[in-house]
């Protein structure tokens, strides 16, 4: 007998184009209780508390140690449940509701853009509420907040958060679920800044110079639509800017790079022997690395003449200043320790690069866009706590309830007896010791058919639901099949899972091969009779 599950059957509660007004209630473990709450979901995160401003010794008392309920706080770093996002959200809601643009306390250009994003009749893709809200938050904090007491108090909080964690930078994080369209938000932010900078020359509030930093080459290539002269540029193709303002965007200077470019390179290629020879009798180390100025000239030549640059970090959770004096990685060993060290090195390169830009050229602000602006393990902060400079939030659950992203399915058909949490909800922790490590170089010795039984069972459970959905869609005449996604820890594991699902040819001792066809029939890549590869779908 099957039981009804309203959340999975009908997860969408709100329009993607309006402020959410209802949400599914979740229990302490994050699972739906099947109750609908008639208000927007509050942002509920634990974050490091910025250190208070220094006071005179005579008036100092021993500070109260906060208890955020997780046992994370120490005398050196305290944590608490943040209320700042909900407070900023309330201020932006009240500001948005003002009927007269003259009450908005923004420039005429900003007012024009806000009206366009909110009310324009789009011929194609229309911005979601969450995208507009993220931009509105940045606009309110920049143009409106400095004009009120409450606004100044929130800006003081933002300044304190940065002074503690990013002493050389002023950062603002906007949290937006994966799939909710961060690239569109970037385009809207660039349009707002550029058009105002062009029409208000000399203003320190606005700029036409932008440094877009991404964590990898794939994301960097995807962001090319932010260039006004790109054939697929979002400003025109998605109607993000009124037609008469498009010309102003041609004056934007935009550099898109990945953080690896901030690594200073060798100016002279020398072998170890050649370096020792040139080192000479004095024993002085040769400094053949680029200077900061040379690195910046290589990475962002188009911005070298601009003194007021706006940096935008995509997937910004990779960028932070670690706290070596208070590490949280004391218990890390083996692969976990290596992963933490890798995270910290990437974060160090990224933030050092931004600090170099600030020292040499000047950054007016750093805008962080991420679905997960949380500190990583080994950062010196408690893992999974929110960046304290985060001022807006639109979560994955919000995106699901607005129909912006699909509801992911996880295999929950089986539980392990005695376990409090169903095993499939935390599958990796239950199988990690039995899985290959990255870089072992043992790919030829690993058998895809000897995956851990728990992993095989999880794949079969998820596939069983997929197969029923596939048949239902086919019956209804839906030609595009549903999507089956398996996320793996490393490439060695992904190859094993890929072969298990789709099939592979096993090498025998005599040099011949035999087909081991995929264990999930709809995803098989080989003909059962001939063993030949099947043609690619839609190929």
């Amino acid at each position: 007998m099957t039981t009804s599950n309203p959340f999975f059957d009908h997860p969408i509660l709100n329009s993607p184009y309006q402020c959410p007004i209802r949400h599914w209630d979740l229990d302490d473990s994050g699972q739906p209780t099947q109750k609908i709450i008639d208000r927007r979901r509050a942002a509920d995160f634990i974050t490091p508390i910025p250190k208070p401003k220094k006071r005179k010794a005579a008036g100092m008392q021993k500070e109260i140690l906060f208890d955020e309920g997780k046992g994370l706080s120490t005398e050196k770093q305290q944590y608490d449940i943040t209320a700042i996002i909900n407070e900023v959200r309330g201020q932006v809601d009240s500001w948005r509701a003002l009927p007269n643009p003259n009450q908005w306390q923004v420039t005429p250009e900003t007012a024009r853009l806000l009206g366009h994003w909110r009310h324009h009749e789009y011929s194609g893709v229309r911005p979601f509420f969450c995208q507009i809200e993220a931009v509105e938050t940045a606009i309110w904090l920049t143009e409106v907040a400095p004009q009120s007491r409450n606004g100044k108090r929130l800006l003081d909080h933002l300044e304190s958060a940065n002074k503690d964690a990013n002493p050389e930078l002023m950062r603002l994080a906007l949290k937006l679920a994966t799939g909710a369209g961060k690239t569109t938000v970037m385009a809207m932010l660039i349009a707002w800044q550029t058009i105002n900078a062009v029409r208000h020359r000399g203003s320190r509030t606005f700029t036409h110079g932008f440094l877009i930093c991404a964590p990898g080459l794939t994301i960097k290539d995807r962001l090319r639509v932010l260039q006004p002269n790109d054939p697929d540029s979002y400003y025109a193709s998605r109607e993000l800017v009124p037609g008469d303002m498009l010309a102003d965007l041609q004056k934007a200077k935009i550099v898109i790079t990945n953080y690896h470019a901030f690594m200073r390179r060798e100016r002279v290629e020398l072998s170890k022997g050649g370096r020792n020879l040139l080192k000479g009798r004095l024993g002085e180390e040769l400094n053949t690395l680029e200077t900061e100025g040379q690195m910046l000239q290589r990475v962002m030549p188009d911005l070298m003449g601009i003194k007021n640059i706006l940096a935008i970090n995509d997937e910004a959770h990779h960028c932070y200043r670690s706290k070596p004096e208070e590490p949280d990685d004391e218990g890390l060993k083996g692969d976990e320790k290596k992963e933490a060290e890798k995270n910290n090195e990437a974060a160090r390169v990224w933030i050092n690069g931004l600090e170099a830009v600030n020292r040499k050229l000047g950054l007016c602000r750093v805008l962080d866009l991420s679905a997960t602006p949380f500190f990583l393990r080994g950062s010196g902060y408690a893992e999974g706590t929110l960046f304290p400079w985060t001022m807006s939030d639109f979560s994955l659950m919000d995106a699901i309830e607005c129909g912006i992203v699909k509801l992911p399915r996880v295999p929950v058909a089986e539980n392990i007896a005695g376990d409090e949490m169903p095993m499939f909800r935390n599958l990796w922790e239950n199988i990690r010791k039995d899985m290959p490590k990255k870089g072992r170089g043992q790919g030829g010795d690993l058998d895809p058919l000897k995956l851990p039984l728990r992993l095989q069972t999880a794949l079969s459970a998820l596939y069983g639901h997929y197969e029923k959905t596939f048949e239902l869609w086919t019956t209804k005449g839906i030609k595009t099949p549903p999507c089956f996604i398996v996320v793996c820890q490393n490439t060695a594991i992904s190859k094993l899972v890929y072969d298990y699902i789709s099939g592979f040819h096993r090498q025998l001792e005599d040099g011949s091969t035999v087909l081991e066809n995929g264990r999930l029939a709809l995803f098989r890549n080989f003909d059962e009779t001939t063993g030949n590869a099947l043609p690619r779908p839609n190929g």
Side-chain angles (χ1 to χ4, degrees), residues 194-256:
T194 301
I195 291 170
N196 274 286
V198 170
R199 301 191 181 192
H200 298 273
R201 295 186 181 278
S203 170
R204 297 292 299 171
T205 304
F206 305 108
T207 182
H208 70 287
F210 304 90
L211 175 64
I212 316 295
C213 300
L217 293 174
T218 302
I219 295 177
K220 175 186 171 183
D221 182 65
R222 173 174 56 80
L223 296 178
R224 62 178 174 77
V225 294
L226 298 175
Q227 296 286 7
N229 57 358
D230 187 87
D232 301 315
S233 172
Y234 274 10
Y235 311 104
S237 67
R238 299 209 173 188
E239 303 172 36
L240 294 181
V241 174
D244 62 299
M245 289 181 158
L246 281 172
D248 290 343
L249 279 167
Q250 296 300 321
K251 298 177 181 178
K253 298 289 186 181
I254 303 171
V255 170
I256 303 172

Side-chain angles (χ1 to χ4, degrees), residues 335 339 342 428 432 434-441 446 486-498:
D335 287 344
E339 185 69 19
K342 180 182 176 183
W428 174 246
R432 63 186 305 162
D434 300 319
M435 300 302 291
K437 307 296 189 295
K438 182 170 60 173
R440 274 190 169 182
L446 301 174
V486 182
V487 180
C488 299
Q489 190 75 0
N490 58 56
T491 53
I493 295 173
S494 64
K495 181 64 168 69
L496 287 175
V497 173
Y498 174 83

